[in-house]
Amino acid sequence: MTSKIPFIAVIPARLASTRLPNKPLADIGGKPMVVRVAERALQSGATRVVVAVDDQSIFDACKAHGLDVMLTSKNHPTGTDRLSEVASKLNLGDDEIVVNVQGDEPLIPPELITQVAQTLAEHPNAQIATAALKIHDAAEVNNPNAVKVAMDKNCRALYFSRAPIPFTRDADKFQAQCYRHIGMYAYKASFLKEFSGLAPAPIEEAESLEQLRAMWYGYTIQVLLTDSAPPPGVDTAEDLERVRQVFAQKA
């Protein structure tokens, strides 16, 4: 796939994981998971794909597969902080677009990466772009693990929450305008350079949603509405086995 606009895809990969130790190096069809993610990102049309790692073992695995990899600090509290270090080290121009591709999503659709980057490019007043999907299941509206986003008429984010938003006063009516957030982000490099200096926001800490820090400080997040959700990422051993079976079927 060829992108209409230039952008860089960065894959933050952290070795430590409470639920799945050494997750980036987990084998999927003969390759580490982080390599599988990079292969998807390379199909997106990105001008460059960089794996940002915090451990020499991941660095070596990526190098062995010919990937562009950068060793970053072990002390970053979030993946966005890791991207901030990458943007600084690469000396990116303020308007350059960086897409954060999660290192535990080996089935991420390459076209979604492209579309989120293009959404940011098409909205010069936004500093961040992300994606959302209309919810058709009433139970999902009330699931705190399903993050919801409320938007204005131009699809700019108004708020993200684990609670049902917008709230429907009539309990018998399903929230027809409720959207689930998909955790794919494109950033302008200028935002990434500023992010690491922003103190955590009260609403961010209350909801445990990192994107609320950007909103707290007045940054604009443009939302791409999509018709299909990407396959789930890998958080547990069960998730890993499910993804392994998908790759085995493709072999």
Side-chain angles (χ1 to χ4, degrees):
M1 178 179 293
T2 301
S3 172
K4 296 178 182 178
I5 53 97
F7 68 93
I8 295 172
V10 179
I11 305 166
R14 187 171 63 95
L15 189 65
S17 173
T18 54
R19 287 189 284 182
L20 192 60
N22 299 331
K23 183 163 64 170
L25 299 176
D27 181 83
I28 298 177
K31 296 180 182 179
M33 177 161 56
V34 68
V35 174
R36 292 296 188 184
V37 175
E39 289 174 342
R40 305 292 279 188
L42 287 164
Q43 295 173 31
S44 71
T47 54
R48 185 175 182 180
V49 175
V50 180
V51 185
V53 307
D54 72 342
D55 189 89
Q56 189 67 40
S57 61
I58 314 175
F59 183 94
D60 293 342
C62 290
K63 277 294 185 184
H65 286 84
L67 297 175
D68 189 350
V69 59
M70 180 182 295
L71 192 61
T72 58
S73 171
K74 292 180 178 290
N75 300 320
H76 290 308
T78 69
T80 311
D81 287 292
R82 200 170 305 284
L83 262 69
S84 178
E85 180 181 345
V86 172
S88 178
K89 285 185 173 179
L90 294 180
N91 196 28
L92 299 180
D94 286 349
D95 289 330
E96 291 193 63
I97 294 174
V98 179
V99 179
N100 181 353
V101 181
Q102 299 291 342
D104 58 3
E105 296 193 14
L107 297 176
I108 190 71
E111 58 271 20
L112 180 60
I113 301 172
T114 309
Q115 290 166 358
V116 172
Q118 290 178 345
T119 297
L120 184 56
E122 292 166 0
H123 295 85
N125 292 326
Q127 293 79 44
I128 304 169
T130 189
L133 175 75
K134 193 169 184 178
I135 296 177
H136 297 284
D137 179 4
E140 191 172 10
V141 175
N142 296 294
N143 180 356
N145 293 319
V147 177
K148 276 68 69 174
V149 56
M151 297 162 284
D152 69 11
K153 65 177 184 178
N154 297 311
C155 288
R156 291 182 297 237
L158 296 171
Y159 192 67
F160 295 84
S161 182
R162 298 184 183 279
I165 57 171
F167 178 75
T168 302
R169 291 183 64 185
D170 186 343
D172 294 330
K173 292 182 179 179
F174 175 62
Q175 297 188 355
Q177 295 301 316
C178 195
Y179 291 86
R180 178 170 183 165
H181 177 230
I182 298 171
M184 166 73 66
Y185 294 98
Y187 302 99
K188 286 185 178 174
S190 57
F191 169 80
L192 289 174
K193 294 172 185 177
E194 296 166 1
F195 178 82
S196 59
L198 301 177
I203 55 174
E204 170 196 2
E205 294 179 327
E207 295 261 18
S208 189
L209 295 175
E210 183 184 333
Q211 64 269 39
L212 290 176
R213 187 186 314 181
M215 300 201 71
W216 175 263
Y217 287 99
Y219 293 97
T220 299
I221 302 178
Q222 189 70 38
V223 182
L224 165 72
L225 298 183
T226 182
D227 294 328
S228 59
V234 176
D235 289 320
T236 66
E238 291 76 17
D239 294 337
L240 178 60
E241 183 56 34
R242 169 183 51 80
V243 171
R244 282 172 171 165
Q245 290 176 4
V246 171
F247 275 88
Q249 292 169 1
K250 293 180 179 180

